[in-house]
Amino acid sequence: MTDYLPIRTDRLTLRRYRETDFDDLLKLQSNDDVTRFLLYDSKTPEEVRESLAKRLAEVTMDAEGQALTLAVELTETGQHLGEVTLFVHSVEHRTGELGYVFHPESGGHGYAAEAAVELLRLGFEHFGMRRVIARLDARNTGSVKLLERLGLRREAHFVRNEFLKGEWTDELVYAMLADEWAAKK
């Protein structure tokens, strides 16, 4: 089922989560700097255990709402840098969504871009997605720059459409089509 894993790049290994990743996931999901622009608040250890259980479950990626979340580690050291996720939005329309969350100290090295490219490749080339989107808080300028570097196009700017963490926030939507992906290669 997951014969395409692990994925290795020049510097990174993208792999399924393991039970032993709890401490790394706790460090990621309980950090206020990490969760600042995410839909969820910093998590408790119990909430992280639930989160890890979801990441450990096998997913077939053939039904709406399924998500494949991979741990991203520095191959040379095994250091956990963050994670990337590919969500199934619509089987009928062959659409997915890209997500990523990285430890602040791993920023500025291109790791998120390197890992996200592999998730786009997986979505388009392995799962046959026709369209992949990314949604984000408009204040997350680092993520905006990353998506634009990856070649996704801004398609929407929703003004004050979500009430998150006590305030109305703007949401941006970026997208790429399979033929645009193929043209980049």
Side-chain angles (χ1 to χ4, degrees):
M1 178 184 289
T2 54
D3 57 338
Y4 50 87
L5 295 175
I7 298 169
R8 298 192 197 295
T9 68
D10 290 341
R11 303 180 297 165
L12 307 177
T13 300
L14 285 66
R15 61 167 176 77
R16 294 291 311 270
Y17 268 91
R18 302 183 280 245
E19 290 281 351
T20 55
D21 291 321
F22 174 78
D23 289 340
D24 290 324
L25 192 58
L26 178 63
K27 182 180 174 190
L28 187 69
Q29 292 188 341
S30 65
N31 184 328
D32 290 338
D33 289 335
V34 171
T35 62
R36 179 176 61 181
F37 296 124
L38 299 178
L39 296 175
Y40 59 85
D41 291 320
S42 294
K43 294 186 177 184
T44 66
E46 187 52 43
E47 290 169 327
V48 173
R49 283 190 208 296
E50 293 171 18
S51 184
L52 181 59
K54 290 179 185 174
R55 283 157 174 71
L56 294 172
E58 284 292 326
V59 290
T60 55
M61 297 296 284
D62 60 359
E64 279 85 13
Q66 290 187 337
L68 175 67
T69 300
L70 302 176
V72 179
E73 64 185 21
L74 194 58
T75 302
E76 187 176 308
T77 64
Q79 176 188 358
H80 184 265
L81 302 172
E83 64 184 23
V84 288
T85 303
L86 186 63
F87 301 89
V88 177
H89 265 276
S90 170
V91 172
E92 178 184 0
H93 300 292
R94 297 181 13 232
T95 58
E97 180 176 344
L98 171 69
Y100 43 83
V101 182
F102 281 78
H103 295 286
E105 62 269 16
S106 66
H109 301 283
Y111 299 139
E114 194 171 324
V117 163
E118 292 303 313
L119 260 279
L120 288 169
R121 182 188 60 73
L122 199 61
F124 290 123
E125 297 177 19
H126 183 79
F127 293 118
M129 292 179 174
R130 184 192 60 79
R131 175 182 169 81
V132 174
I133 68 163
R135 298 178 302 144
L136 64 148
D137 187 312
R139 299 170 297 176
N140 190 344
T141 57
S143 197
V144 167
K145 290 175 187 172
L146 170 61
L147 293 171
E148 290 175 353
R149 253 190 343 268
L150 291 172
L152 280 80
R153 135 189 93 267
R154 184 183 295 191
E155 290 194 335
H157 182 154
F158 298 106
V159 178
R160 294 187 304 258
N161 71 313
E162 292 183 319
F163 192 73
L164 296 173
K165 301 175 185 168
E167 64 183 306
W168 288 102
T169 62
D170 290 10
E171 179 184 27
L172 301 177
V173 178
Y174 281 77
M176 179 180 281
L177 296 171
D179 58 348
E180 294 168 326
W181 170 258
K184 289 176 52 85
K185 294 171 63 174

